[in-house]
Amino acid sequence: MAMKKYNVALTPQTNTNYFDALVSEAKPYTSGFCIGSKSIPHITICQFFIDASKIENIWHEICNKIDHASMNISFESYSNITFDDEIYWLSLLPSETDYLFHLFDIVSDHVTSIRTDNYDPHLTLFNYIKKNHDLIQKVLVPSLFIQTKFELTLGICDELGQIKKIILRT
């Protein structure tokens, strides 16, 4: 069988309309990437390639090692970064990073992470061009902070890491 790209991630169980509303408000200012129907909102734990015939066994091994499969996550800060001074990426930063790092360690004991840099828990909302920077700061940033319940899921993702379809839940 062919290798597929998977993403073990936390996806929202509640308040999904909050993320939809944020994106709807920002849609006119985005620059290509935006969570929504083509990219399920998520906090990546670990992305990896594996033969599709092995995925269910790996998933069960991971689930047997975790303490709890769902948790409340608070977003009290955000990241607004650029790698080229033209396109900015707006992400929510979770407060509960200790447990997210713990989950990353568990998952990466079972699969080889695609990441070669340090794990960086976040929920990317969208990207936008530089000329919209001040507008995004004024309009959206004040409404970014929320707490909601997330669950551990396994999804198939594209080359960017966007989850296209959730295939397994805890």
Side-chain angles (χ1 to χ4, degrees):
M1 293 203 112
M3 302 275 273
K4 289 188 176 180
K5 186 175 183 181
Y6 295 94
N7 192 341
V8 173
L10 290 167
T11 55
Q13 284 183 298
T14 58
N15 289 329
T16 55
N17 57 337
Y18 166 80
F19 298 104
D20 294 340
L22 274 178
V23 169
S24 291
E25 194 172 344
K27 195 80 165 164
Y29 313 108
T30 62
S31 179
F33 173 80
C34 197
I35 60 170
S37 62
K38 295 182 181 179
S39 179
I40 298 168
H42 66 279
I43 301 167
T44 292
I45 302 301
C46 185
Q47 293 177 24
F48 56 94
F49 288 99
I50 198 165
D51 187 301
S53 66
K54 297 179 180 179
I55 195 62
E56 284 197 39
N57 286 338
I58 294 290
W59 179 246
H60 291 299
E61 288 176 19
I62 291 168
C63 290
N64 286 335
K65 300 270 176 148
I66 60 171
D67 302 328
H68 45 277
S70 64
M71 64 184 291
N72 285 320
I73 295 189
S74 302
F75 298 99
E76 297 172 1
S77 60
Y78 67 96
S79 168
N80 199 9
I81 61 170
T82 182
F83 302 103
D84 61 7
D85 200 34
E86 190 56 36
I87 302 292
Y88 286 79
W89 297 82
L90 185 65
S91 299
L92 299 177
L93 301 177
S95 299
E96 296 76 11
T97 57
D98 288 346
Y99 191 67
L100 299 178
F101 278 96
H102 174 68
L103 287 174
F104 174 79
D105 289 342
I106 290 171
V107 176
S108 60
D109 280 345
H110 295 278
V111 296
T112 302
S113 175
I114 292 171
R115 292 189 75 101
T116 57
D117 58 349
N118 293 330
Y119 176 58
D120 173 32
H122 62 278
L123 190 154
T124 302
L125 295 171
F126 55 84
N127 65 11
Y128 62 93
I129 58 176
K130 185 177 184 171
K131 74 175 187 174
N132 293 326
H133 185 73
D134 290 341
L135 184 63
I136 295 293
Q137 296 299 308
K138 187 185 296 182
V139 174
L140 280 180
V141 167
S143 62
L144 290 179
F145 310 109
I146 186 174
Q147 181 180 50
T148 193
K149 191 165 196 145
F150 280 71
E151 69 176 323
L152 195 66
T153 57
L154 176 71
I156 296 174
C157 58
D158 66 10
E159 66 282 351
L160 295 176
Q162 299 177 97
I163 296 179
K164 299 298 190 175
K165 180 181 179 185
I166 294 173
I167 59 169
L168 294 168
R169 297 176 183 277
T170 48

